[in-house]
Amino acid sequence: MGTIWVYAEASGGQVASISLELLTRARELADTVEAVVGGEGEPVAAELGAHGATTVHATGDLGDGLTGPAVASAIAAAIEGGAAPDAVLFGTTYDGRDVAGRLSVKLGVPVITNIVELDQADGSLVGTEPVFGGTVNVSTRFSGSGVGLFLVRPKSFAAEESGGGPAAVSALPVPDLGATGAARVVDRFAEESTGPKLDEAGVVVSGGRGLGEAEKYSMIEDLAKLLGGAAGASRAIVDAGWVPYSHQVGQTGKVVKPDVYVACGISGATQHMVGMKGSKNIIAINKDAEAPIFGIADLGVVGDVHKVIPKLIEALQARG
Amino acid sequence: MNPLCLVLHRWGRVGDLHAMDIVVCVKQIPDPADPGELDSETNTLKRDMKLIMDESDSYGVEMALQLRDAAGEGEVTLVSMAPHEEVNGLRSALAMGADKAILVSDEALAGTDALGTARVLAAAIGRTQADLILAATESSDGYTGTVPEQVAELLGLPSVTFAKEIQADGGEVLVKRQTEAGYDEVRCPLPAVVSVTAGVVEPRYPSFKGIMAAKSKPMDQVGIADLDVSLEQVGWAGGGQEITDVSPAPEREAGEIITDEGDAHERIIALLEELRIV
Ligand SMILES: Cc1cc2nc3c(=O)[nH]c(=O)nc-3n(C[C@H](O)[C@H](O)[C@H](O)COP(=O)(O)OP(=O)(O)OC[C@H]3O[C@@H](n4cnc5c(N)ncnc54)[C@H](O)[C@@H]3O)c2cc1C
Ligand SMILES: Cc1cc2nc3c(=O)[nH]c(=O)nc-3n(C[C@H](O)[C@H](O)[C@H](O)COP(=O)(O)OP(=O)(O)OC[C@H]3O[C@@H](n4cnc5c(N)ncnc54)[C@H](O)[C@@H]3O)c2cc1C
């Protein structure tokens, strides 16, 4: 296949891992891989280049405007002006969805979403999406002409460097957005977080409704910290307001693939499992021997979280 | 829409700048507690059971009711595209307190993808005079997650997705938008599209009175011919995508199951050692 564009996201000069994952897969599928950035290109050109992008099309600083309408309009204008990528890949992220949705209307083409595998067949890209809680895989490709748009879930591919030099920066002008560009970011808030990010951590310890009450979530945080990992949650306790949404693992939360996932007091609903069953090792603690989570656990402990976890924490602390 | 109508509509509010007319997109879906199956002929979800309101949309409905009530004036209109003239889920939302509903149901819409759905919803919303259009960030059954942004683009409106809080402030909304790091505070002039996350508000249970009242609330049923959408852009043909394969995903095997006799933590630590985590 000819050319794939990857919508790359960055914050603080650092490219998001999902974008590096997409570049890595794209260069296995296409002759030419180029990145699109909503922001300045220079600070990220080296990292994008090292993962296979030869060019970075950058809008320049977007100020306090939202990314979605600006980047979608800029890509649509470039395509109208003669640029001809065969496909554009986006991560299933807050901004990735916004850009893909708006671009789809501008180009009059659908978006193939929730993709976890991308392959080539008969010269076109085929995306595979898990449905029914990951029990069935559906593969879809574009039947029409024009640019293929794919929204890919994080952690679908491993990011690897290509050894390429810095990408050449090329300007991607943003046309006048009219009313669509009227929203303004007036303030940005970062939630306190210590330790590794949930979707990048080597160990994830998650708690569910089996913890019984919000205060008991501190056990999960303590255990995660002792293991150098991140603390996750089922949607039941996010909806109950025990922990912020950013901790949610599953279909409507984060997809995680750590070396070890520890599920504590989580039943194992399909919507939860679709977000963690790619973990290398799964440990589950649940007092109900029939809980579905045991069906995918490498080590299942039928027991009370209020007994097992404190002992585990104590034993780990004793080791120092 | 007749431009004069629009002028008159706005004119009518000079006395009260804060009245809020809100459209909420409500998807009616098969009960997730009763998972459907794929139709082996068409590779889409079978939809022959009674549909219910997507729980994800109950948050948008609740949010709209709160904003309308805070404004003291305005109407909440539901918009849904669904097969077989399904109104069950819309009635639930009307019972919560929404004022009226527009249902688009047409055989020609079977197989419509997210972009086609957005075209239909945008055309239906165009029949109203909404200050604010609410949707969920993603539906429970299709979870494409692109429809709200596609609707906004089709209507030429600004949008804020992943809202975890919305405040009306004159002709604007102030929205807390979920981000990777935390949240952004976004100010957006109306009319606008905002998509809300689950849990933003606590959806109310309909009262008995609400359920009775819902039965007589206006339900405008329209077909594709009533909307400004071309038949080529919807249905199976409108999709521009083709399913090439459907296959069961590889199963993960269960491993060792032990019952805690007071020493299960030791077994866990042994495994963590084996994996070189500790
Ligand atoms: C469209 C849709 C999307 C969804 N998306 C997500 C998602 O992204 N992520 C997600 O997690 N869920 C999601 N859900 C919700 C999901 O279906 C479940 O409701 C949820 O995962 C249940 O959370 P839980 O396991 O904490 O609670 P429960 O199912 O209530 O399980 C609690 C478990 O704790 C055990 N337990 C109780 N006491 C103890 C004790 N003392 N010690 C040990 N074990 C104990 C019980 O045996 C039980 O198995 C979604 C649902 C829908 C419909
Ligand atoms: C398993 C599965 C996978 C699919 N994959 C794709 C795909 O990759 N690409 C694609 O284009 N289509 C796909 N579809 C089709 C798509 O789900 C439908 O076209 C659907 O009508 C719109 O998408 P959604 O529900 O996923 O929308 P989402 O974007 O997830 O919906 C967001 C919100 O928009 C509103 N909304 C959406 N639909 C309606 C409606 N009918 N009435 C009222 N409000 C509504 C609701 O507020 C909803 O919560 C898929 C369907 C299934 C079942």
Side-chain angles (χ1 to χ4, degrees), chain A residues 97 102 104 114 137 139 141 184 186-187 189 279 297 300 302 319, chain B residues 138 143 150 153 159 183 185 187 242 244-245 247 252 255-256 258:
Chain A
R97 279 182 171 179
R102 291 216 177 240
S104 124
N114 285 304
N137 287 331
S139 301
R141 72 162 174 202
R184 292 273 159 264
V186 290
D187 220 335
F189 295 86
S279 307
V302 181
R319 298 162 65 102
Chain B
E138 62 183 34
Y143 52 95
Q150 287 167 325
E153 182 67 27
S159 59
Y183 66 90
E185 215 161 70
R187 193 171 271 285
E242 176 198 344
T244 57
D245 186 51
S247 51
R252 205 185 156 114
E256 180 191 356
I258 60 168

PDB file of all heavy atoms in Angstrom, chain A residues 97 102 104 114 137 139 141 184 186-187 189 279 297 300 302 319, chain B residues 138 143 150 153 159 183 185 187 242 244-245 247 252 255-256 258:
ATOM      1  N   ARG A  97     -10.976  10.529  18.402  1.00  0.00           N
ATOM      2  CA  ARG A  97     -12.353  10.339  17.964  1.00  0.00           C
ATOM      3  C   ARG A  97     -12.948  11.614  17.395  1.00  0.00           C
ATOM      4  O   ARG A  97     -13.720  11.581  16.439  1.00  0.00           O
ATOM      5  CB  ARG A  97     -13.200   9.931  19.157  1.00  0.00           C
ATOM      6  CG  ARG A  97     -13.109   8.498  19.486  1.00  0.00           C
ATOM      7  CD  ARG A  97     -14.046   8.298  20.635  1.00  0.00           C
ATOM      8  NE  ARG A  97     -14.201   6.890  20.898  1.00  0.00           N
ATOM      9  CZ  ARG A  97     -14.963   6.435  21.871  1.00  0.00           C
ATOM     10  NH1 ARG A  97     -15.617   7.263  22.640  1.00  0.00           N
ATOM     11  NH2 ARG A  97     -15.072   5.154  22.067  1.00  0.00           N
ATOM     12  N   ARG A 102     -15.216  14.224  12.692  1.00  0.00           N
ATOM     13  CA  ARG A 102     -15.403  15.411  11.846  1.00  0.00           C
ATOM     14  C   ARG A 102     -14.854  15.168  10.439  1.00  0.00           C
ATOM     15  O   ARG A 102     -15.462  15.556   9.455  1.00  0.00           O
ATOM     16  CB  ARG A 102     -14.726  16.620  12.486  1.00  0.00           C
ATOM     17  CG  ARG A 102     -15.439  17.082  13.756  1.00  0.00           C
ATOM     18  CD  ARG A 102     -15.400  18.584  13.888  1.00  0.00           C
ATOM     19  NE  ARG A 102     -16.140  19.032  15.056  1.00  0.00           N
ATOM     20  CZ  ARG A 102     -17.192  19.849  15.003  1.00  0.00           C
ATOM     21  NH1 ARG A 102     -17.625  20.315  13.836  1.00  0.00           N
ATOM     22  NH2 ARG A 102     -17.812  20.224  16.106  1.00  0.00           N
ATOM     23  N   SER A 104     -14.615  12.407   8.852  1.00  0.00           N
ATOM     24  CA  SER A 104     -15.473  11.473   8.131  1.00  0.00           C
ATOM     25  C   SER A 104     -16.598  12.219   7.401  1.00  0.00           C
ATOM     26  O   SER A 104     -16.930  11.915   6.265  1.00  0.00           O
ATOM     27  CB  SER A 104     -15.992  10.422   9.112  1.00  0.00           C
ATOM     28  OG  SER A 104     -17.372  10.345   9.153  1.00  0.00           O
ATOM     29  N   ASN A 114     -12.857   0.970  16.804  1.00  0.00           N
ATOM     30  CA  ASN A 114     -12.536  -0.049  17.824  1.00  0.00           C
ATOM     31  C   ASN A 114     -11.655  -1.172  17.302  1.00  0.00           C
ATOM     32  O   ASN A 114     -11.772  -2.327  17.714  1.00  0.00           O
ATOM     33  CB  ASN A 114     -13.832  -0.619  18.408  1.00  0.00           C
ATOM     34  CG  ASN A 114     -14.479   0.360  19.344  1.00  0.00           C
ATOM     35  OD1 ASN A 114     -13.850   0.803  20.307  1.00  0.00           O
ATOM     36  ND2 ASN A 114     -15.701   0.756  19.060  1.00  0.00           N
ATOM     37  N   ASN A 137     -14.690 -11.842  16.701  1.00  0.00           N
ATOM     38  CA  ASN A 137     -13.937 -10.825  15.969  1.00  0.00           C
ATOM     39  C   ASN A 137     -14.599 -10.540  14.622  1.00  0.00           C
ATOM     40  O   ASN A 137     -14.893 -11.464  13.874  1.00  0.00           O
ATOM     41  CB  ASN A 137     -12.505 -11.309  15.708  1.00  0.00           C
ATOM     42  CG  ASN A 137     -11.673 -11.298  16.970  1.00  0.00           C
ATOM     43  OD1 ASN A 137     -11.914 -10.490  17.867  1.00  0.00           O
ATOM     44  ND2 ASN A 137     -10.701 -12.190  17.056  1.00  0.00           N
ATOM     45  N   SER A 139     -14.098  -8.484  11.024  1.00  0.00           N
ATOM     46  CA  SER A 139     -13.142  -7.752  10.189  1.00  0.00           C
ATOM     47  C   SER A 139     -13.894  -6.943   9.140  1.00  0.00           C
ATOM     48  O   SER A 139     -14.830  -7.437   8.522  1.00  0.00           O
ATOM     49  CB  SER A 139     -12.197  -8.724   9.492  1.00  0.00           C
ATOM     50  OG  SER A 139     -11.511  -9.480  10.463  1.00  0.00           O
ATOM     51  N   ARG A 141     -13.563  -3.805   5.918  1.00  0.00           N
ATOM     52  CA  ARG A 141     -12.727  -2.936   5.103  1.00  0.00           C
ATOM     53  C   ARG A 141     -13.610  -1.952   4.345  1.00  0.00           C
ATOM     54  O   ARG A 141     -14.833  -2.111   4.300  1.00  0.00           O
ATOM     55  CB  ARG A 141     -11.907  -3.763   4.129  1.00  0.00           C
ATOM     56  CG  ARG A 141     -12.750  -4.349   3.027  1.00  0.00           C
ATOM     57  CD  ARG A 141     -11.865  -4.766   1.895  1.00  0.00           C
ATOM     58  NE  ARG A 141     -12.670  -5.461   0.901  1.00  0.00           N
ATOM     59  CZ  ARG A 141     -12.155  -6.298   0.025  1.00  0.00           C
ATOM     60  NH1 ARG A 141     -10.877  -6.576   0.041  1.00  0.00           N
ATOM     61  NH2 ARG A 141     -12.930  -6.851  -0.868  1.00  0.00           N
ATOM     62  N   ARG A 184     -13.665  27.162  23.297  1.00  0.00           N
ATOM     63  CA  ARG A 184     -12.358  27.610  23.796  1.00  0.00           C
ATOM     64  C   ARG A 184     -12.002  26.914  25.097  1.00  0.00           C
ATOM     65  O   ARG A 184     -12.819  26.876  26.019  1.00  0.00           O
ATOM     66  CB  ARG A 184     -12.408  29.121  24.092  1.00  0.00           C
ATOM     67  CG  ARG A 184     -12.546  29.984  22.867  1.00  0.00           C
ATOM     68  CD  ARG A 184     -11.153  30.293  22.287  1.00  0.00           C
ATOM     69  NE  ARG A 184     -11.223  30.673  20.890  1.00  0.00           N
ATOM     70  CZ  ARG A 184     -11.023  29.834  19.862  1.00  0.00           C
ATOM     71  NH1 ARG A 184     -10.730  28.579  20.081  1.00  0.00           N
ATOM     72  NH2 ARG A 184     -11.104  30.254  18.629  1.00  0.00           N
ATOM     73  N   VAL A 186     -10.592  27.208  28.505  1.00  0.00           N
ATOM     74  CA  VAL A 186     -10.256  28.334  29.378  1.00  0.00           C
ATOM     75  C   VAL A 186      -9.307  27.930  30.503  1.00  0.00           C
ATOM     76  O   VAL A 186      -8.633  28.770  31.091  1.00  0.00           O
ATOM     77  CB  VAL A 186     -11.513  29.038  29.944  1.00  0.00           C
ATOM     78  CG1 VAL A 186     -12.240  29.776  28.836  1.00  0.00           C
ATOM     79  CG2 VAL A 186     -12.464  28.066  30.617  1.00  0.00           C
ATOM     80  N   ASP A 187      -9.249  26.638  30.801  1.00  0.00           N
ATOM     81  CA  ASP A 187      -8.350  26.193  31.860  1.00  0.00           C
ATOM     82  C   ASP A 187      -8.083  24.697  31.706  1.00  0.00           C
ATOM     83  O   ASP A 187      -8.933  23.981  31.191  1.00  0.00           O
ATOM     84  CB  ASP A 187      -8.999  26.440  33.231  1.00  0.00           C
ATOM     85  CG  ASP A 187      -7.978  26.948  34.235  1.00  0.00           C
ATOM     86  OD1 ASP A 187      -6.780  26.669  34.045  1.00  0.00           O
ATOM     87  OD2 ASP A 187      -8.385  27.614  35.201  1.00  0.00           O
ATOM     88  N   PHE A 189      -6.777  21.232  33.861  1.00  0.00           N
ATOM     89  CA  PHE A 189      -6.492  20.693  35.189  1.00  0.00           C
ATOM     90  C   PHE A 189      -5.876  19.304  35.063  1.00  0.00           C
ATOM     91  O   PHE A 189      -6.394  18.465  34.329  1.00  0.00           O
ATOM     92  CB  PHE A 189      -7.777  20.574  36.010  1.00  0.00           C
ATOM     93  CG  PHE A 189      -8.416  21.904  36.309  1.00  0.00           C
ATOM     94  CD1 PHE A 189      -9.288  22.476  35.406  1.00  0.00           C
ATOM     95  CD2 PHE A 189      -8.117  22.579  37.484  1.00  0.00           C
ATOM     96  CE1 PHE A 189      -9.874  23.707  35.659  1.00  0.00           C
ATOM     97  CE2 PHE A 189      -8.687  23.810  37.747  1.00  0.00           C
ATOM     98  CZ  PHE A 189      -9.575  24.384  36.836  1.00  0.00           C
ATOM     99  N   SER A 279      -3.882  -9.179  29.236  1.00  0.00           N
ATOM    100  CA  SER A 279      -2.777  -9.151  30.205  1.00  0.00           C
ATOM    101  C   SER A 279      -2.011 -10.468  30.135  1.00  0.00           C
ATOM    102  O   SER A 279      -2.605 -11.520  29.906  1.00  0.00           O
ATOM    103  CB  SER A 279      -3.322  -8.970  31.627  1.00  0.00           C
ATOM    104  OG  SER A 279      -4.166  -7.851  31.696  1.00  0.00           O
ATOM    105  N   ALA A 297      -8.433 -16.482  34.725  1.00  0.00           N
ATOM    106  CA  ALA A 297      -7.331 -16.200  35.644  1.00  0.00           C
ATOM    107  C   ALA A 297      -6.265 -17.299  35.581  1.00  0.00           C
ATOM    108  O   ALA A 297      -6.596 -18.479  35.481  1.00  0.00           O
ATOM    109  CB  ALA A 297      -7.866 -16.067  37.070  1.00  0.00           C
ATOM    110  N   GLY A 300      -6.307 -18.153  40.492  1.00  0.00           N
ATOM    111  CA  GLY A 300      -7.551 -17.690  41.092  1.00  0.00           C
ATOM    112  C   GLY A 300      -7.563 -18.016  42.568  1.00  0.00           C
ATOM    113  O   GLY A 300      -7.274 -19.142  42.964  1.00  0.00           O
ATOM    114  N   VAL A 302     -10.000 -18.140  45.714  1.00  0.00           N
ATOM    115  CA  VAL A 302     -11.352 -18.031  46.253  1.00  0.00           C
ATOM    116  C   VAL A 302     -11.186 -17.592  47.698  1.00  0.00           C
ATOM    117  O   VAL A 302     -10.713 -18.354  48.536  1.00  0.00           O
ATOM    118  CB  VAL A 302     -12.095 -19.383  46.174  1.00  0.00           C
ATOM    119  CG1 VAL A 302     -13.507 -19.231  46.724  1.00  0.00           C
ATOM    120  CG2 VAL A 302     -12.119 -19.901  44.742  1.00  0.00           C
ATOM    121  N   ARG A 319       9.140  -7.556  53.268  1.00  0.00           N
ATOM    122  CA  ARG A 319      10.289  -7.838  52.400  1.00  0.00           C
ATOM    123  C   ARG A 319      11.082  -6.573  52.105  1.00  0.00           C
ATOM    124  O   ARG A 319      12.205  -6.644  51.609  1.00  0.00           O
ATOM    125  CB  ARG A 319       9.822  -8.423  51.065  1.00  0.00           C
ATOM    126  CG  ARG A 319       9.094  -9.738  51.213  1.00  0.00           C
ATOM    127  CD  ARG A 319       8.294 -10.030  49.966  1.00  0.00           C
ATOM    128  NE  ARG A 319       9.174 -10.237  48.840  1.00  0.00           N
ATOM    129  CZ  ARG A 319       9.478 -11.439  48.346  1.00  0.00           C
ATOM    130  NH1 ARG A 319       8.967 -12.510  48.900  1.00  0.00           N
ATOM    131  NH2 ARG A 319      10.274 -11.567  47.324  1.00  0.00           N
TER     132      ARG A 319
ATOM    133  N   GLU B 138     -20.585   7.387  23.814  1.00  0.00           N
ATOM    134  CA  GLU B 138     -20.686   6.204  22.965  1.00  0.00           C
ATOM    135  C   GLU B 138     -21.865   5.362  23.397  1.00  0.00           C
ATOM    136  O   GLU B 138     -22.247   5.354  24.559  1.00  0.00           O
ATOM    137  CB  GLU B 138     -19.398   5.376  22.981  1.00  0.00           C
ATOM    138  CG  GLU B 138     -19.032   4.833  24.345  1.00  0.00           C
ATOM    139  CD  GLU B 138     -17.716   4.076  24.322  1.00  0.00           C
ATOM    140  OE1 GLU B 138     -16.809   4.439  23.573  1.00  0.00           O
ATOM    141  OE2 GLU B 138     -17.611   3.099  25.071  1.00  0.00           O
ATOM    142  N   TYR B 143     -21.013   1.209  20.225  1.00  0.00           N
ATOM    143  CA  TYR B 143     -19.866   1.975  20.762  1.00  0.00           C
ATOM    144  C   TYR B 143     -18.854   2.454  19.732  1.00  0.00           C
ATOM    145  O   TYR B 143     -17.650   2.441  19.976  1.00  0.00           O
ATOM    146  CB  TYR B 143     -19.202   1.291  21.955  1.00  0.00           C
ATOM    147  CG  TYR B 143     -18.777  -0.166  21.807  1.00  0.00           C
ATOM    148  CD1 TYR B 143     -17.472  -0.495  21.437  1.00  0.00           C
ATOM    149  CD2 TYR B 143     -19.677  -1.185  22.078  1.00  0.00           C
ATOM    150  CE1 TYR B 143     -17.084  -1.824  21.323  1.00  0.00           C
ATOM    151  CE2 TYR B 143     -19.297  -2.498  21.972  1.00  0.00           C
ATOM    152  CZ  TYR B 143     -17.995  -2.813  21.593  1.00  0.00           C
ATOM    153  OH  TYR B 143     -17.617  -4.113  21.488  1.00  0.00           O
ATOM    154  N   GLN B 150     -19.905  13.685  14.477  1.00  0.00           N
ATOM    155  CA  GLN B 150     -20.393  13.708  13.095  1.00  0.00           C
ATOM    156  C   GLN B 150     -21.647  14.573  12.994  1.00  0.00           C
ATOM    157  O   GLN B 150     -21.797  15.354  12.050  1.00  0.00           O
ATOM    158  CB  GLN B 150     -20.674  12.275  12.604  1.00  0.00           C
ATOM    159  CG  GLN B 150     -19.383  11.491  12.348  1.00  0.00           C
ATOM    160  CD  GLN B 150     -19.599   9.995  12.169  1.00  0.00           C
ATOM    161  OE1 GLN B 150     -20.472   9.394  12.807  1.00  0.00           O
ATOM    162  NE2 GLN B 150     -18.808   9.375  11.311  1.00  0.00           N
ATOM    163  N   GLU B 153     -20.566  18.234  13.079  1.00  0.00           N
ATOM    164  CA  GLU B 153     -19.973  18.674  11.815  1.00  0.00           C
ATOM    165  C   GLU B 153     -21.061  18.866  10.757  1.00  0.00           C
ATOM    166  O   GLU B 153     -21.036  19.830   9.995  1.00  0.00           O
ATOM    167  CB  GLU B 153     -18.920  17.658  11.358  1.00  0.00           C
ATOM    168  CG  GLU B 153     -18.190  18.017  10.077  1.00  0.00           C
ATOM    169  CD  GLU B 153     -17.285  19.251  10.202  1.00  0.00           C
ATOM    170  OE1 GLU B 153     -16.810  19.538  11.320  1.00  0.00           O
ATOM    171  OE2 GLU B 153     -17.067  19.931   9.176  1.00  0.00           O
ATOM    172  N   SER B 159     -18.561  21.753  19.261  1.00  0.00           N
ATOM    173  CA  SER B 159     -18.940  20.620  20.106  1.00  0.00           C
ATOM    174  C   SER B 159     -17.918  20.443  21.204  1.00  0.00           C
ATOM    175  O   SER B 159     -16.768  20.859  21.071  1.00  0.00           O
ATOM    176  CB  SER B 159     -18.989  19.349  19.265  1.00  0.00           C
ATOM    177  OG  SER B 159     -17.721  19.144  18.687  1.00  0.00           O
ATOM    178  N   TYR B 183      -8.855  17.117  33.395  1.00  0.00           N
ATOM    179  CA  TYR B 183      -9.944  17.665  32.593  1.00  0.00           C
ATOM    180  C   TYR B 183      -9.626  19.089  32.154  1.00  0.00           C
ATOM    181  O   TYR B 183      -8.806  19.775  32.763  1.00  0.00           O
ATOM    182  CB  TYR B 183     -11.276  17.607  33.345  1.00  0.00           C
ATOM    183  CG  TYR B 183     -11.364  18.474  34.576  1.00  0.00           C
ATOM    184  CD1 TYR B 183     -11.823  19.793  34.497  1.00  0.00           C
ATOM    185  CD2 TYR B 183     -10.988  17.987  35.827  1.00  0.00           C
ATOM    186  CE1 TYR B 183     -11.903  20.591  35.625  1.00  0.00           C
ATOM    187  CE2 TYR B 183     -11.059  18.773  36.965  1.00  0.00           C
ATOM    188  CZ  TYR B 183     -11.520  20.079  36.862  1.00  0.00           C
ATOM    189  OH  TYR B 183     -11.579  20.856  37.962  1.00  0.00           O
ATOM    190  N   GLU B 185     -11.434  22.849  31.168  1.00  0.00           N
ATOM    191  CA  GLU B 185     -12.651  23.623  31.256  1.00  0.00           C
ATOM    192  C   GLU B 185     -12.827  24.310  29.912  1.00  0.00           C
ATOM    193  O   GLU B 185     -11.931  25.037  29.475  1.00  0.00           O
ATOM    194  CB  GLU B 185     -12.536  24.642  32.379  1.00  0.00           C
ATOM    195  CG  GLU B 185     -13.831  24.862  33.080  1.00  0.00           C
ATOM    196  CD  GLU B 185     -13.603  25.488  34.443  1.00  0.00           C
ATOM    197  OE1 GLU B 185     -13.221  26.669  34.476  1.00  0.00           O
ATOM    198  OE2 GLU B 185     -13.776  24.779  35.446  1.00  0.00           O
ATOM    199  N   ARG B 187     -15.253  26.611  27.264  1.00  0.00           N
ATOM    200  CA  ARG B 187     -16.377  27.531  27.123  1.00  0.00           C
ATOM    201  C   ARG B 187     -16.855  27.448  25.681  1.00  0.00           C
ATOM    202  O   ARG B 187     -16.052  27.559  24.753  1.00  0.00           O
ATOM    203  CB  ARG B 187     -15.886  28.952  27.445  1.00  0.00           C
ATOM    204  CG  ARG B 187     -16.960  29.964  27.635  1.00  0.00           C
ATOM    205  CD  ARG B 187     -16.365  31.281  28.159  1.00  0.00           C
ATOM    206  NE  ARG B 187     -16.319  31.315  29.614  1.00  0.00           N
ATOM    207  CZ  ARG B 187     -17.390  31.511  30.391  1.00  0.00           C
ATOM    208  NH1 ARG B 187     -18.591  31.641  29.847  1.00  0.00           N
ATOM    209  NH2 ARG B 187     -17.278  31.545  31.692  1.00  0.00           N
ATOM    210  N   GLU B 242     -17.369  -2.955   4.237  1.00  0.00           N
ATOM    211  CA  GLU B 242     -17.779  -4.315   3.917  1.00  0.00           C
ATOM    212  C   GLU B 242     -17.163  -5.250   4.949  1.00  0.00           C
ATOM    213  O   GLU B 242     -15.963  -5.166   5.243  1.00  0.00           O
ATOM    214  CB  GLU B 242     -17.234  -4.629   2.514  1.00  0.00           C
ATOM    215  CG  GLU B 242     -17.464  -6.002   2.014  1.00  0.00           C
ATOM    216  CD  GLU B 242     -16.521  -6.298   0.841  1.00  0.00           C
ATOM    217  OE1 GLU B 242     -15.942  -5.349   0.260  1.00  0.00           O
ATOM    218  OE2 GLU B 242     -16.353  -7.475   0.532  1.00  0.00           O
ATOM    219  N   THR B 244     -15.579  -8.515   6.071  1.00  0.00           N
ATOM    220  CA  THR B 244     -14.881  -9.556   5.330  1.00  0.00           C
ATOM    221  C   THR B 244     -14.794 -10.863   6.113  1.00  0.00           C
ATOM    222  O   THR B 244     -14.578 -11.915   5.547  1.00  0.00           O
ATOM    223  CB  THR B 244     -13.454  -9.113   4.957  1.00  0.00           C
ATOM    224  OG1 THR B 244     -12.771  -8.763   6.167  1.00  0.00           O
ATOM    225  CG2 THR B 244     -13.479  -7.891   4.045  1.00  0.00           C
ATOM    226  N   ASP B 245     -14.940 -10.773   7.442  1.00  0.00           N
ATOM    227  CA  ASP B 245     -14.800 -11.999   8.218  1.00  0.00           C
ATOM    228  C   ASP B 245     -15.435 -11.847   9.601  1.00  0.00           C
ATOM    229  O   ASP B 245     -15.359 -10.779  10.202  1.00  0.00           O
ATOM    230  CB  ASP B 245     -13.311 -12.344   8.392  1.00  0.00           C
ATOM    231  CG  ASP B 245     -13.111 -13.683   9.070  1.00  0.00           C
ATOM    232  OD1 ASP B 245     -13.707 -14.671   8.619  1.00  0.00           O
ATOM    233  OD2 ASP B 245     -12.374 -13.739  10.077  1.00  0.00           O
ATOM    234  N   SER B 247     -15.333 -14.216  13.123  1.00  0.00           N
ATOM    235  CA  SER B 247     -14.878 -15.483  13.684  1.00  0.00           C
ATOM    236  C   SER B 247     -14.758 -15.397  15.192  1.00  0.00           C
ATOM    237  O   SER B 247     -14.553 -14.320  15.747  1.00  0.00           O
ATOM    238  CB  SER B 247     -13.530 -15.865  13.062  1.00  0.00           C
ATOM    239  OG  SER B 247     -12.654 -14.774  13.159  1.00  0.00           O
ATOM    240  N   ARG B 252      -9.249 -17.649  26.391  1.00  0.00           N
ATOM    241  CA  ARG B 252      -8.160 -17.719  27.338  1.00  0.00           C
ATOM    242  C   ARG B 252      -8.475 -18.838  28.313  1.00  0.00           C
ATOM    243  O   ARG B 252      -9.603 -18.970  28.757  1.00  0.00           O
ATOM    244  CB  ARG B 252      -8.089 -16.376  28.067  1.00  0.00           C
ATOM    245  CG  ARG B 252      -6.737 -16.069  28.613  1.00  0.00           C
ATOM    246  CD  ARG B 252      -6.704 -14.803  29.420  1.00  0.00           C
ATOM    247  NE  ARG B 252      -5.567 -14.935  30.312  1.00  0.00           N
ATOM    248  CZ  ARG B 252      -4.496 -14.180  30.253  1.00  0.00           C
ATOM    249  NH1 ARG B 252      -4.429 -13.194  29.396  1.00  0.00           N
ATOM    250  NH2 ARG B 252      -3.493 -14.373  31.079  1.00  0.00           N
ATOM    251  N   GLY B 255      -6.529 -21.035  34.788  1.00  0.00           N
ATOM    252  CA  GLY B 255      -5.348 -21.683  35.355  1.00  0.00           C
ATOM    253  C   GLY B 255      -5.691 -22.368  36.665  1.00  0.00           C
ATOM    254  O   GLY B 255      -6.727 -23.016  36.789  1.00  0.00           O
ATOM    255  N   GLU B 256      -4.811 -22.137  37.630  1.00  0.00           N
ATOM    256  CA  GLU B 256      -4.956 -22.801  38.927  1.00  0.00           C
ATOM    257  C   GLU B 256      -5.925 -22.020  39.825  1.00  0.00           C
ATOM    258  O   GLU B 256      -5.853 -20.800  39.906  1.00  0.00           O
ATOM    259  CB  GLU B 256      -3.551 -22.813  39.563  1.00  0.00           C
ATOM    260  CG  GLU B 256      -3.452 -23.453  40.906  1.00  0.00           C
ATOM    261  CD  GLU B 256      -2.083 -23.162  41.557  1.00  0.00           C
ATOM    262  OE1 GLU B 256      -1.237 -22.521  40.896  1.00  0.00           O
ATOM    263  OE2 GLU B 256      -1.896 -23.551  42.707  1.00  0.00           O
ATOM    264  N   ILE B 258      -7.252 -21.758  43.753  1.00  0.00           N
ATOM    265  CA  ILE B 258      -7.041 -22.234  45.126  1.00  0.00           C
ATOM    266  C   ILE B 258      -8.046 -21.570  46.059  1.00  0.00           C
ATOM    267  O   ILE B 258      -8.582 -20.516  45.736  1.00  0.00           O
ATOM    268  CB  ILE B 258      -5.609 -21.937  45.635  1.00  0.00           C
ATOM    269  CG1 ILE B 258      -5.335 -20.413  45.609  1.00  0.00           C
ATOM    270  CG2 ILE B 258      -4.560 -22.674  44.811  1.00  0.00           C
ATOM    271  CD1 ILE B 258      -4.077 -20.009  46.349  1.00  0.00           C
TER     272      ILE B 258
END
